[in-house]
Amino acid sequence: NEGQQLEEEIYDIAQRGRIRVVGPNCLGIQNPITGLNATFANNLARPGNVAFISQSGAMCTSILDWSLQANVGFSAFVSIGSMMDVSWGDIIYYLGDDPNTKAIAIYMESIGDARSFMSAASEVAMTKPIIVIKPGRTSQAAKAAASHTGSLAGSDDVLEAAFKRSGVLRVNKIRDVFEIVELLGKQPRPSGKYLTILTNAGGPGVISTDALIESGGQLAWLSQDTMDKLNEILPSHWSHANPIDILGDATWERYAKAVEIAAENPYSDGILIILTPQSMTDPTKTAEAIANVAKKINKPILASWMGGQTVTEGRAILDAAGIPTYDYPDSAAENFTYMYQLSVNLAQLYETPRWCADLHPSTAVVDTIIATAQSQGRVILTELESKRLLSCYSIPTPAIIHCRTAEEAALAASSIGFPVVVKLHSETITHKSDVGGVKLNLNSPEQVRDAFNEIQQGVEKDDFFGVTVQPMLDTTAPDAFELIIGSSLDAQFGPVMLFGLGGTLVEVFQDSSIALPPLNSNLAHLMMKNTKIYQALKGIRGRKPADIAAIEKLIVNFSHLVMDKWMFIKEVEINPLLATPDSVIALDARVILHDSNNMMEVDDDEVSTQTQIIRPAIRPYPAQYEQHWLTKKGRVLLIRAIMPEDEPLVVDFHKRISEESVYTRWMSNLKYDERASHSRLIRVCHVDYDRDIALVALDEESCAGNKCKLVAAARLTKVHGKNVAEYSVLVEDEWQGEGVGGKLLMELIKHGETDGLDGIEGIVLPTNRAMIHTAEKMGFESVYDKELNVVKQYYSYKEAAQNCTETPPKEDYQLRRFTCPINI
């Protein structure tokens, strides 16, 4: 249409001029810190430390008007519109680097480039909380949002999983966004979900308990020591439980002592103090006492001073002391749970699933199975093919024999041993039970023959390719559980995994959780914990617990399968997955492939008449780059990708870097305190292996003593709007001259080639002759910029391929993997 054509013309013009465009269909942008108002709103927001981004211009004007009355300030106020150019990821990266922004609040209707959002959010959320309100939980709201933004609205459950995995906190109400930002600015995050509620009235305690439980929190258990101490200071008819009801005649002294005791309870992660105005309770003095006690407590404290004019002064005292106050205690309880959920989400950022680290799938067998189906024009694998594929990824399956006649089936059953299961073997029908294609608990050859004939007669001739015979496993045993694990393609996030209660009534019970692959054992366990069946799997009412560790391992192996073959597999499902105290086994499986005659890989919201294959939203840890390498002096280095837990190693690394090396790398005298600050290194060490790849070299000798020493680091960062990346290398002074920098640069070139880059850029000082010489030997072109007094370098993969020779360099056998040999 005309509007889309105009957008494309604007984008082309902007790209040629290297101009970034916010919008269209937006209000504009404001920077209250500098006084910039590039919107058509009449007023400029007050300065503050929270950035607000909205996809809705009307929401912006409403929030702006409210903020002026409520005296709330912003560091940035952005209406992002339909994101023709600048996306969520771009804005989040920018605000992550903005020193005036301490937190980011977002009103989102569609996510756009999912991988860009997750990359930016997971990096920035490490240092600045990102709070999102995303409408569209219901199908009707999602439809309205899609109509509003003109963008495809993906599954809300998938989006929820993506937020959690990227360290983002999602809230339900607009009010929650700003309350949580305030709370996080005043109180520490809780280490757990267990809250102590202390009140002078029973009713508010009950209401806040409901809100706490319904939002995912739990009441803290009162230890015996806590009970004994409370009994000493409280009247005999106090509640003797949590919520701690200290009664309506509570004085400020009773409040203060009770809070001190409750804070010492090792089973409590936070305290909610509720006060209702009663004749014996002074709201102001109580607030003063709580403010003093809070100075000695390192757990989050929230308060609800209920009432009006009577409690106004007390609220002001608490606010001044950094204790957030709420009109109603249920809101406070919900916000405590939000804080806990944020802690859980941020913990997921430190999980770095490795690429098939302990798994060696039979790739040739898998590829043969897929290629055979594709050559026959099929997208559905048979059960036999599906189970063979699963077996290649160490997912246990029962013995299975394919039979084309009733007699073959009877003989197969006798060899397996009765009882057996006979199932339809078809290349066109996936849900066999819907057509009577599953016969259970057969105990004789005669029953097997009859089952074969019944199945054959129940389907069309073209759908019948014989049957499979398998041992009958008891799914009704007291300690057996039927589970489901599967993967399907989301329109925005690519492959998405599901785990939960399985069997024939899976759609009825709908007890499942969703996660984005890849997964490690911790993430797999968290996926299990997010289901109701998990409590039963741990053992309940006399039932033995299932083999939780085996289920975890199976989920991880399944995620490797999904990540390994996402280009070919559209859907894969195991249902039921039988879990017992001793084992897990895939009783039934189905795999649906992409149509090989009509496929197209897409990275974002591209529209095509072809089948779209969306790339996974998360890249796994690239374990394939791990290697031992010998320097020119014969010292052994371990080279691998950086991980979040490397931060202490990087701090120590910067202690050993000379001022000359610092100036050569950053072209300025960047001080140690700035280079090694936690706020900086937490982002340096946490990379998404997509926009950024960072490699580190560790002294192997030091690692043998469990005190690894990092001696060099290199990074490749993609440049926006261009299919190129910028490189940087830093080597400890003691290790310079041994070829370490050149080796790391080689690996970056290899990564860029695998990633399909056109080239690599670099900027170095003219005095850094060693790096210039090394890069030029590898094929970089160097151009001196007299005005800036720097050397600009560029490596072209196209030119490297044209100049390629057949003979690999003798110096490094690993270079056989490169497009073109590199001598150093």
Side-chain angles (χ1 to χ4, degrees), residues 625 693 695 714-716 727 741-757 759-760 771 774-780 794-797 800 815 817-822:
Y625 292 145
I693 181 73
L695 302 178
R715 181 176 294 260
L716 198 63
Y727 87 88
K743 173 61 178 175
L744 291 178
L745 185 54
M746 288 182 200
E747 295 302 320
L748 293 183
I749 293 173
K750 174 194 169 187
H751 176 81
E753 180 188 26
T754 304
D755 230 26
L757 293 178
I760 297 177
M771 197 69 236
T774 297
E776 286 178 345
K777 279 192 171 184
M778 294 183 183
F780 279 81
Y794 186 76
Y795 180 91
S796 169
Y797 285 99
L815 291 180
R817 297 173 294 176
F818 283 88
T819 301
C820 185
I822 299 168

Side-chain angles (χ1 to χ4, degrees), residues 179-191:
E179 287 185 350
I180 289 295
V181 168
E182 179 192 14
L183 178 55
L184 292 170
K186 291 181 176 180
Q187 293 291 315
R189 294 195 310 270
S191 56

Side-chain angles (χ1 to χ4, degrees), residues 384 399-403 408 412-413 415-416 467-470:
L384 180 62
I400 180 170
I401 301 176
H402 177 213
C403 306
E408 283 183 14
S415 66
I416 289 175
V467 300
T468 59
V469 180
Q470 306 172 45

Side-chain angles (χ1 to χ4, degrees), residues 1-14 16 84:
N1 58 39
E2 184 180 354
Q4 186 174 354
Q5 289 177 350
L6 286 172
E7 282 191 14
E8 292 173 356
E9 289 178 21
I10 293 171
Y11 182 75
D12 290 341
I13 294 170
R16 290 197 297 270
M84 175 187 71

Side-chain angles (χ1 to χ4, degrees), residues 508-559:
V508 176
F509 291 110
Q510 294 187 344
D511 176 25
S512 62
S513 67
I514 286 177
L516 300 179
L519 304 178
N520 59 15
S521 59
N522 289 340
L523 293 172
H525 192 86
L526 186 61
M527 190 180 188
M528 294 167 59
K529 285 179 67 176
N530 289 333
T531 62
K532 295 176 183 176
I533 191 63
Y534 175 73
Q535 297 301 322
L537 292 174
K538 293 193 300 180
I540 189 172
R541 294 184 178 178
R543 297 180 69 167
K544 294 180 181 179
D547 191 341
I548 299 290
I551 300 173
E552 279 181 15
K553 184 176 180 181
L554 185 143
I555 293 174
V556 172
N557 290 356
F558 188 88
S559 87

Side-chain angles (χ1 to χ4, degrees), residues 123-136:
E123 180 179 320
V124 174
M126 286 282 196
T127 53
K128 301 179 181 183
I130 301 175
I131 317 299
V132 173
I133 179 166
K134 167 66 174 68

